[in-house]
């Protein structure tokens, strides 16, 4: 228990969580090897929202050339403008803040923009012409010139008109490369294929902060153009694109929001403020109730548990988002929660908390679950009960026809989306559906009975020993 679901849960969900707990077959090289082309695997959504695809080329000389293609739509089929970015990147030391990451310094040489419509040109010119020192970027009434490249930034001339676009390449200051093997089933034979993923720093959820923010988490990963997961319909299209010929991704039929069922993380996830976790959700569409399991760890492979959260409550009927096309807006009410500390550092922190603010005073021990509902949450972990969160959801099918669930990105400042104004405009890493709709509300197996048998005669698993977590006392947990 603690780092795994009870035995009675759906086998596929349990198998996926066990796979993640065992490291997911992932290896990470330090320092990372960046040489080569890296591409988005689909249409990406950044806070705002912004819809884009990326194609980055790193040379052995430390120089890089990056393309960012922006779109009007969440399917990345209607291009707005493209950026071509040239510069130099120097890898530095392993990050002291985000375990498993490498810090880097970058210097931009040039940034150019190509507009793909008159509308895009007018809109961007309006933003840039209000920037100090960039008033003459485009003359009023100037017509769109297809294929023309306009200079936004030049290191030689010390010209920089990128701020109006909210543009920065701070994502290059935090780098991680992961490798894994994808099972391949060929006719009459089986094997595996190497997959390489590039994780770059996250983008701040507040527009006004993104120019100054130094990442501590990651965006959705890009994949090596040579070693990517198959099938990947978008990879080849993005690989062949340039600033004059932006990628137009294949059309996808919109999916209705079908939440019912069980959903689990596809890999160990990283949050700003040094949180590593995996998630498991069960949604009961018949009565709009939900359960969530949040497994927190101290390492980037999610092998060393620190604490586990179980939460439950109700959610509203979803309505289409007017701000983020393709998304669905919901409100989630969190009414109950339980906490299981999994290492001695967390136990000490919880036992040192203010009396009456987090479960029974000085009663915490490793591997033993405690209900924090009677104390209205846990102040030490930043959990307040009951509370409501205003969410953004989206479902998709991937290239393997698996159902994916995207839940709104958490505010970078660690707060909770507790008002409609704080509703997310971008998404976290997707969850994959591992089971259909459950027939009844599942019974949660209390961790304090670890080692005993449940009603079906299955033995619960015992918690694992864990390593020291340096930052746990500094983390503000907000229902990640």
């Amino acid at each position: 228990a603690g780092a795994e679901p009870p035995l009675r849960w759906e086998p596929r969900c349990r198998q996926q969580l066990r796979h993640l707990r065992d490291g997911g077959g992932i290896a990470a090289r330090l320092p990372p090897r960046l040489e080569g082309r890296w591409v988005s695997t689909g249409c990406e959504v950044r806070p705002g929202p912004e819809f884009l695809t990326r194609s980055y080329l790193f040379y052995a000389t430390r120089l890089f050339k990056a393309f960012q293609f922006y779109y009007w739509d969440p399917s990345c089929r209607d291009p707005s403008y493209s950026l071509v970015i040239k510069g130099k990147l120097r890898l530095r030391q392993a990050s002291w803040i985000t375990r498993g990451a490498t810090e880097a310094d970058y210097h931009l040489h040039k940034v150019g923009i190509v507009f793909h419509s008159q509308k895009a040109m007018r809109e961007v010119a309006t933003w840039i012409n209000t920037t100090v020192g960039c008033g003459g970027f485009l003359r009023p009434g100037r017509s769109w010139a297809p294929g023309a490249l306009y200079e936004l930034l030049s290191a030689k001339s010390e010209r920089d008109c990128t701020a109006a676009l909210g543009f920065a390449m701070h994502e290059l200051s935090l780098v991680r490369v992961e490798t894994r093997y994808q099972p391949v089933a060929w006719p009459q034979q089986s094997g595996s294929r190497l997959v390489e993923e590039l994780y770059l720093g996250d983008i701040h959820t507040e527009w006004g902060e993104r120019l100054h923010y130094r990442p501590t988490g990651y965006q959705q990963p890009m994949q090596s153009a040579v070693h990517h997961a198959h099938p990947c319909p978008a990879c080849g299209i993005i690989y062949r694109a340039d600033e004059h010929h932006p990628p137009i991704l294949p059309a996808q039929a919109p999916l209705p929001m079908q939440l019912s069922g069980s959903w689990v993380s596809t890999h160990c996830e990283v949050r700003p403020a040094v949180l590593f976790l995996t998630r498991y959700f069960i949604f009961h569409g018949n009565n709009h109730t939900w359960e969530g399991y949040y497994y927190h760890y101290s390492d980037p492979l999610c092998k060393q548990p620190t604490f586990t959260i179980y939460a439950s409550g109700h959610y509203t009927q979803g309505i289409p988002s007017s701000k983020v096309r393709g998304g669905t807006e919901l409100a989630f009410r969190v009414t109950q929660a339980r906490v299981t500390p999994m290492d001695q550092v967390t136990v000490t922190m919880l036992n040192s908390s203010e009396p009456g603010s987090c479960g029974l005073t000085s009663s915490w021990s490793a591997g033993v679950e405690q209900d924090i509902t009677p104390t209205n949450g846990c102040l030490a972990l930043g959990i307040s009960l009951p509370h409501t969160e205003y969410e953004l959801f989206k479902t998709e099918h991937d290239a393997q026809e698996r159902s994916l669930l995207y839940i709104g990105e958490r505010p970078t400042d660690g707060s909770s989306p507790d008002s409609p104004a704080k509703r997310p405009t971008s998404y976290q890493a997707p969850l994959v559906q591992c089971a259909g709709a459950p027939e009844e509300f599942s019974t949660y197996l209390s961790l304090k009975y670890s080692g005993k048998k449940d009603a079906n005669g299955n033995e619960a698993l015992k918690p694992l020993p864990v390593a020291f977590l340096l930052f746990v006392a500094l983390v503000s947990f907000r229902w990640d």
Side-chain angles (χ1 to χ4, degrees):
E4 292 197 36
L7 289 166
R8 68 182 297 276
W9 286 5
E10 290 286 349
R12 279 194 302 159
C13 304
R14 175 182 175 79
Q15 182 181 17
Q16 173 66 5
L17 282 169
R18 269 188 165 173
H19 176 66
L20 294 175
R21 186 204 64 182
D22 292 338
I26 290 171
R29 177 177 172 174
L30 287 176
R33 185 180 179 88
L34 295 182
E35 287 82 2
R37 173 83 66 178
W38 303 84
V39 295
S40 302
T41 58
C43 194
E44 301 177 353
V45 184
R46 284 185 173 179
E50 289 180 332
F51 308 111
L52 77 157
T53 57
R54 295 176 292 160
S55 175
Y56 292 2
L57 177 60
F58 295 95
Y59 299 94
T61 57
R62 298 181 181 174
L63 295 174
F64 69 87
K65 182 179 182 180
F67 296 114
Q68 293 182 354
F69 308 102
Y70 290 82
Y71 303 80
W72 299 107
D73 68 302
S75 299
C76 290
R77 291 182 54 78
D78 186 9
S80 171
Y81 62 87
S82 299
L83 299 180
V84 55
I85 305 135
K86 296 180 180 180
K88 193 166 189 176
L89 181 72
R90 181 175 68 89
L91 297 177
R92 297 172 58 207
Q93 71 277 355
S95 173
W96 284 91
I97 299 175
T98 306
R99 287 186 60 185
T102 298
E103 295 178 357
D105 291 328
Y106 72 92
H107 179 69
L108 297 182
H109 298 158
K110 286 186 177 182
V111 178
I113 187 169
V114 174
F115 301 105
H116 301 304
S117 69
Q118 182 76 46
K119 176 186 175 184
M121 184 174 184
R122 284 198 306 266
E123 186 171 289
V124 173
T126 300
W127 301 338
I128 294 177
N129 283 337
T130 61
T131 303
V132 176
C134 299
F137 175 73
L138 287 176
R139 296 188 303 275
R142 184 174 180 180
S143 62
W144 168 49
L149 178 67
Y150 301 90
E151 190 176 83
L152 291 175
L153 178 149
S154 171
K156 286 186 177 181
S157 65
E158 299 183 352
R159 176 187 178 91
D160 186 357
C161 298
T162 61
L165 296 177
F167 170 83
M169 287 298 285
H170 300 327
E171 61 191 274
L172 294 177
S173 63
L174 197 69
V175 180
R176 176 176 171 86
V177 173
E178 292 185 354
T179 60
R180 58 184 170 85
Y181 284 89
Q182 177 192 21
V184 175
W186 297 102
Q188 301 178 337
Q189 72 177 57
S190 62
S192 59
R193 175 188 287 112
L194 177 65
V195 176
E196 291 185 302
E197 294 186 311
L198 171 61
Y199 288 82
L200 296 176
D202 61 308
I203 308 298
H204 202 287
T205 53
E206 290 293 327
W207 182 275
E209 298 294 329
R210 61 194 300 178
L211 296 182
H212 315 288
Y213 172 66
R214 289 300 184 269
T216 56
Y218 303 117
Q219 299 175 65
Q220 287 295 299
M222 305 168 77
Q223 290 190 4
S224 165
V226 177
H227 303 295
H228 61 265
H230 289 259
C232 180
C235 292
I237 298 172
I238 297 171
Y239 174 80
R240 292 187 292 271
D242 60 34
E243 68 270 33
H244 304 293
H245 307 91
I248 310 297
L249 299 192
Q252 287 187 328
L255 290 181
M257 178 57 64
Q258 299 272 357
L259 271 186
S260 295
S262 301
W263 307 79
V264 65
S265 295
T266 60
H267 63 271
C268 183
E269 300 172 9
V270 184
R271 298 283 183 278
V274 204
L275 288 171
F276 305 101
L277 76 156
T278 58
R279 299 172 290 153
Y280 178 88
F281 286 99
I282 307 168
F283 297 98
H284 308 271
N286 58 337
N287 59 6
H288 278 214
T289 56
W290 67 278
E291 300 171 88
Y293 300 81
Y294 307 80
Y295 303 97
H296 285 251
Y297 302 82
S298 63
D299 68 296
L301 291 180
C302 288
K303 287 186 174 184
Q304 302 165 359
T306 54
F307 60 94
T308 297
I309 303 292
Y310 165 78
S312 63
H314 296 78
Y315 62 94
T316 62
Q317 184 73 36
I319 60 171
S321 172
S322 59
K323 192 168 187 179
V324 186
R325 277 194 290 161
T328 299
E329 295 181 352
L330 303 97
F332 276 75
R333 184 73 171 168
V334 186
T335 55
Q336 294 182 322
R338 302 167 189 162
V339 173
T340 307
M342 298 298 292
D343 69 346
Q344 195 55 46
V345 174
T346 307
V347 169
T348 301
M349 180 185 69
L350 295 177
N351 280 332
S352 302
S353 60
E354 183 180 341
S357 68
C358 186
L360 297 176
T361 305
S362 302
S363 63
W364 295 93
S365 58
V368 179
E369 178 199 56
Q370 191 171 148
D371 191 350
I372 59 171
T373 309
T375 53
N376 298 320
C378 180
L379 185 63
L381 294 176
I383 303 171
S384 176
L385 294 174
H387 78 274
T388 300
E389 296 198 342
Y390 295 84
E391 268 296 359
L392 180 73
F393 276 44
K394 176 180 70 169
T395 53
E396 284 184 356
H397 281 151
D398 66 9
Q400 297 171 304
E401 291 302 311
R402 299 182 303 172
S403 294
L404 302 179
L405 173 64
Y406 292 82
I407 300 178
E409 188 172 358
R410 311 303 299 175
T412 306
D413 63 8
S415 63
S416 172
D418 52 9
S419 69
K422 296 185 69 175
R423 191 186 302 273
T425 57
S426 56
Y427 302 98
Q428 301 176 49
L431 306 171
V432 64
Q433 189 167 35
C434 56
E439 293 181 357
E440 60 182 17
F441 200 96
S442 67
T443 303
Y444 179 65
L445 180 65
S446 175
L447 300 181
K448 66 182 177 182
Y449 298 114
S450 176
K452 296 187 178 182
K453 294 184 178 180
D454 63 16
N456 298 322
N458 296 319
E459 184 174 325
L461 299 175
K462 294 181 180 180
L464 302 171
V466 295
F468 182 78
L469 175 59
L470 177 62
F471 299 106
V472 70
L474 303 178
V475 170
S476 173
F477 175 73
R478 289 289 184 181
W479 297 111
D480 300 88

